[in-house]
Every structure is written in C-alpha cells, then in structure tokens.
Amino acid sequence: MQTGRGNWNSRLGFILAAAGSAIGLGNIWRFPYTAGENGGGAFVLLYLIFVFAIGVPVLLAELAMGRASERSAVGAFKKLVPGGLWPAVGGLGVLTGFGILSFYSVIAGWTLRYLYLAIMGTFKGDVTAATSGPIFTNMAGDGSMAILLMGIFLLLTILVVRGGISGGIERAAKILMPVFFLVLIAMVIRSVTLPGASQGIEFLFHFDFSKLTAAAVASALGQALFSLSIGMGAMITYGSYLPKDINLPVSGFIVALCDTAIALIGGLIIFPALFAAGADPAAGPGLVFVVMPTIFGAMGGFGYLFGIAFYALLAIAALTSTISLLEVIVTYFVDERQWSREKATWTMGILCFLMGIPSALSQGAFTWLSSTPERAFPGGDFLSLANIVFGNYFLSIGAIFICIFVGWKWGIKAAVEEMSRNGKLPVAAMWSFMVRYVCPVAVVAVLIYAIWTNSYL
Ligand code: PFF
C-alpha cells in the first residue's frame, strides 16, 4: 500500500479486475446487436481496427494517468497539470459513468430475470425464436419488474463497491472471470455445430465493404471505446490503484486482448444460433435475450445447466462492469470531496437508480419513452438513446480530450516514463504518435462524420 487508498494485491488481480470492467454486457449484449444492426463483417473488421489503433493507445494513456497521479478521474487531471479547465474532462467522465450505469443496470437486471427463468426450466425442450421472443417482450415491457430488477442489480453493485478495492472487487473477479470463459467456450462449440450455423460465421467474418455505412463506422468506434471501458476515466480510476511494480503496457494489452476475444466469442455464440433459429440479426437490444435460449434448448439435457451457468456468469460479468462504473463516481467523491466510501456508494448508487427509471420504462411499459411504429423516438427508445449518447458520444469526446491531455499537456515524456517503470516500452515512439496525432484526429473525424450523416440516431 502506497497511498492508504488501497491497491490491487497482484498483477493478476489487477488484470482480472480491469478485464472484468471491460468484459460485460458490452461484449455479449451490445456487440452482437450492434454488429447485427450494422450488417456484420464490415462492422466487425472496423471494430477490430478501432480497438487496436485507438482503443489500446487510449487505454494505456488512461492507466498511465491513473498510476502516475493515484487519483480519481477528476483528481488525475488536477494533480498532473495543476490549474486550468482539464479536470472538467474528468467531470464529464463521472457524468458519463452515471449515464452508462443508468441504462446498463436495466439490461443487467434482465439477466437476473433470465437466470430465474433458466432455473425454473423455461428454456427446456424445443425453444424457438417464436417462443422466446414473447418471453423477452413480456419481461422488458413490465415496468415495475424492470425497475425492481434494476434496483436489485444496483444493490448488488453497491454492496461490492462498499467493500473497497481488493476486498470486494478483486476477490470476486479472480474466481469468476475464468469460469465464465470456460462456459462461453462450451457454448461456442454448441452454437457453431448447429445446423445452418455457417451462415452466422459468414455474417460475422465476411468483410463486405459495400455494406459499410456511416452508421457502421460511428458505431464501431463507439463500441470499441465502450467495450474497453475507456473515454470516461474508468481506467484512470483502476490505474490509480495499480502498484508501481506492475508492467503497465503488458497488463493493459492483455486486458484489451481478453476483451476483444470475448466479444468475438459472443458473436460466435449468437450469430450461428441466430441463423439456425431463423431470427433477424437487426432485432436490436433484445437480440441476445431472444437468441440465447434457443441454444440451451438445442443442448439437450445439458442445456438446463448451461442456461443457469450462462445467466449467472453473465450477471456476474455485468456486475464487474457496473462495479467499475460506480467506482469512477465513488472514487471522485471520496478523493475530491472527502466523502466516506460508505456515504458516496449509497448516495450515488441511489441516484443512479433514479436515473435508470426512464430507461427501465422504455421497453414498452411507457409508450412515450418506447419505440412505437407511429412516432419515432430519437435512437429508437429512451434506453437506446442513453446508450448512444453516453456510450458513443460522451466516450468519444472523453477519449479525444484524454489524448490531447496526455499527448500535449501532461506530456508524452512523463507518460512514457510512467509506462516504462518496469522495462522499456518497445513501441514508445509509435504509441506517442498514435496518442498525439492519429487517435484524436481519427475520433474527431468519426464524430463529425457521425453527426454530419446523423448516423447514430
Ligand atoms: N466495458 C463494459 C462492457 O463492455 O460491458 C461497459 C463499461 C464499463 C463501459 C465501464 C465504460 C466503463 F467505464
């Protein structure tokens, strides 16, 4: 312990916790449905390019800021370059944390309901898209149920975040992430051997550039940032608990690799099964919830157990992400406003609950928040709008400013030094070039393009 704020206990603990933040509903829920809406292969290729060309450099920049300052998303800017308006970028990150957590916990709540349904044997036997579709719509359209589920999920998040860094978060992540990986692999094997599965693999990996739209470019960037948990200071916050003797670039790169692998695995589970079941890839946020049960049905006797394991672990993967979202907010109030962890966690958790209510009611419960054929809600419905505004726009804006700050204000030299504490950073020159020029310019260009073509909404 160097600061009295707590630290990760080991490199593995940090990697699993950071990977736990990165891996979540973004990989299993958001990635497949966004890929489905944007035509598949071309989107996937762009997403991969953005992850490695923009995501990894920004991820390392955030971790370096965090470890060098040992402060929250806001405090890091203050400490590294005192004076000026830069801490506002951290403030934007805290705000983004509220925004993402508010809709994310609604989806996370759904996973709890599906866990219950799996335990009750709902997905036994011959489940088709036609039978699983109404199960989803009924659940999502039930407003009080959605609010209750979201509340339960936020309560779980609060209980872990209260426990602090290594006590709660690290211990949970260490055990559960590897188990999740094994269950997913088993599901890929089942999905790709379903009759008609090859169409799904083709959809995911056939890079047909004629299908590439402005919306696909913009969404691929948003997805890359969202999936890696970057652009809002979550990795600044996690980096601030990182001991100095851990190799930062290697750890960061491993986190990015794990996250990307799980997104592709998510796609490899969903799309073969989706085509085998004859469902529509562009079905939107309900996609995963409609398609997954058809796989358990096709798994025979094992399907029952796999269904339970899958939803339990998906809920846990979501929990390690909601923990990091709340942690960004809580660390800010603890570090900068001198609140106790207990007070910050409860107050901010309850605030997120209130902010999540419109999203919870937007899947059919309240017509004017939902997507209806007569009236187009921007983005589809309130939840999708929040997802686009916070998950795409705000993260992109945050990423631009983080690059400019690290590349031009705090300084490349200091950042490279922080990253090279445990061995030289072999690609320092390339990283610097990416952070100073390529990343900010590319993100600005994609943002302008997205706004110009009105492609997010
Ligand atoms: N990366 C998480 C996921 O893919 O589910 C979501 C997320 C967590 C985004 C934390 C941003 C963040 F700061």
Side-chain angles (χ1 to χ4, degrees):
M1 294 231 185
Q2 293 125 343
T3 60
R5 301 162 72 237
N7 259 327
W8 307 109
N9 281 332
S10 64
R11 166 165 143 172
L12 183 67
F14 164 73
I15 290 179
L16 288 174
S21 165
I23 297 165
L25 296 170
N27 308 58
I28 307 290
W29 162 74
R30 200 181 195 264
F31 173 75
Y33 101 74
T34 316
E37 281 181 339
N38 289 292
F43 167 89
V44 173
L45 181 63
L46 266 183
Y47 160 76
L48 292 175
I49 294 173
F50 285 142
V51 163
F52 289 101
I54 297 176
V56 171
V58 175
L59 173 64
L60 299 185
E62 280 200 29
L63 290 176
M65 280 181 70
R67 187 166 72 177
S69 64
E70 297 178 327
R71 289 286 186 283
S72 70
V74 177
F77 287 95
K78 263 192 210 160
K79 174 148 182 212
L80 297 175
V81 180
L85 287 175
W86 285 101
V89 179
L92 184 76
V94 174
L95 190 69
T96 311
F98 277 114
I100 295 183
L101 189 53
S102 73
F103 74 82
Y104 198 95
S105 39
V106 174
I107 319 286
W110 294 350
T111 65
L112 294 180
R113 175 72 187 161
Y114 268 67
L115 173 60
Y116 171 78
L117 293 177
I119 294 171
M120 299 313 285
T122 316
F123 309 129
K124 268 189 186 160
D126 198 14
V127 184
T128 62
T131 47
S132 72
I135 298 178
F136 173 74
T137 354
N138 287 343
M139 173 203 64
D142 180 343
S144 31
M145 161 99 75
I147 293 175
L148 177 71
L149 291 168
M150 171 187 67
I152 297 174
F153 206 91
L154 278 170
L155 188 64
L156 294 173
T157 310
I158 290 170
L159 293 179
V160 181
V161 172
R162 269 181 77 229
I165 283 300
S166 61
I169 304 175
E170 183 169 346
R171 192 141 26 108
K174 232 179 188 161
I175 308 165
L176 295 164
M177 295 316 290
V179 182
F180 189 43
F181 188 74
L182 294 179
V183 170
L184 289 179
I185 294 292
M187 291 188 62
V188 172
I189 296 172
R190 175 65 271 208
S191 186
V192 298
T193 51
L194 286 169
S198 56
Q199 229 182 319
I201 302 175
E202 162 99 10
F203 179 82
L204 201 57
F205 293 120
H206 181 69
F207 306 125
D208 179 356
F209 278 100
S210 64
K211 288 219 190 97
L212 200 59
T213 58
V217 180
S219 312
L221 174 66
Q223 180 58 25
L225 303 177
F226 186 90
S227 196
L228 290 170
S229 303
I230 53 179
M232 55 161 278
M235 290 298 172
I236 299 180
T237 307
Y238 270 26
S240 76
Y241 299 110
L242 191 57
K244 301 284 183 199
D245 58 357
I246 284 178
N247 187 321
L248 187 154
V250 170
S251 312
F253 195 68
I254 294 175
V255 169
L257 275 185
C258 293
D259 182 58
T260 312
I262 301 279
L264 294 177
I265 287 173
L268 272 176
I269 296 174
I270 299 289
F271 287 105
L274 178 145
F275 282 98
D280 172 18
L287 181 74
V288 181
F289 290 91
V290 175
V291 173
M292 276 301 177
T294 66
I295 309 179
F296 306 125
M299 280 178 135
F302 287 121
Y304 176 71
L305 291 179
F306 267 96
I308 296 174
F310 173 76
Y311 289 113
L313 291 161
L314 182 60
I316 289 158
L319 186 63
T320 51
S321 300
T322 53
I323 288 166
S324 73
L325 287 159
L326 187 57
E327 185 61 44
V328 170
I329 306 168
V330 166
T331 303
Y332 164 70
F333 281 93
V334 170
D335 278 6
E336 304 301 316
R337 310 250 156 208
Q338 282 75 46
W339 286 26
S340 72
R341 180 167 270 274
E342 184 81 19
K343 173 177 159 194
T345 311
W346 282 104
T347 315
M348 297 304 142
I350 291 169
L351 199 58
C352 284
F353 172 74
L354 298 175
M355 283 175 64
I357 291 176
S359 288
L361 295 177
S362 73
Q363 301 300 303
F366 253 47
T367 324
W368 53 276
L369 291 170
S370 307
S371 144
T372 51
E374 313 79 66
R375 185 194 43 93
F377 194 94
D381 54 66
F382 189 88
L383 188 151
S384 307
L385 180 67
N387 182 8
I388 291 164
V389 170
F390 294 107
N392 290 348
Y393 279 108
F394 277 44
L395 291 183
S396 302
I397 295 168
I400 295 168
F401 284 113
I402 287 167
C403 288
I404 298 176
F405 180 80
V406 171
W408 300 94
K409 198 71 196 166
W410 176 36
I412 281 293
K413 204 167 150 268
V416 169
E417 250 164 48
E418 183 59 48
M419 286 196 281
S420 327
R421 277 176 187 277
N422 331 89
K424 224 166 125 349
L425 178 66
V427 289
M430 187 166 95
W431 177 80
S432 313
F433 182 71
M434 299 304 279
V435 169
R436 300 185 88 180
Y437 303 101
V438 178
C439 301
V441 172
V443 181
V444 168
V446 173
L447 255 191
I448 293 177
Y449 186 48
I451 295 168
W452 189 260
T453 51
N454 201 12
S455 48
Y456 277 145
L457 299 181

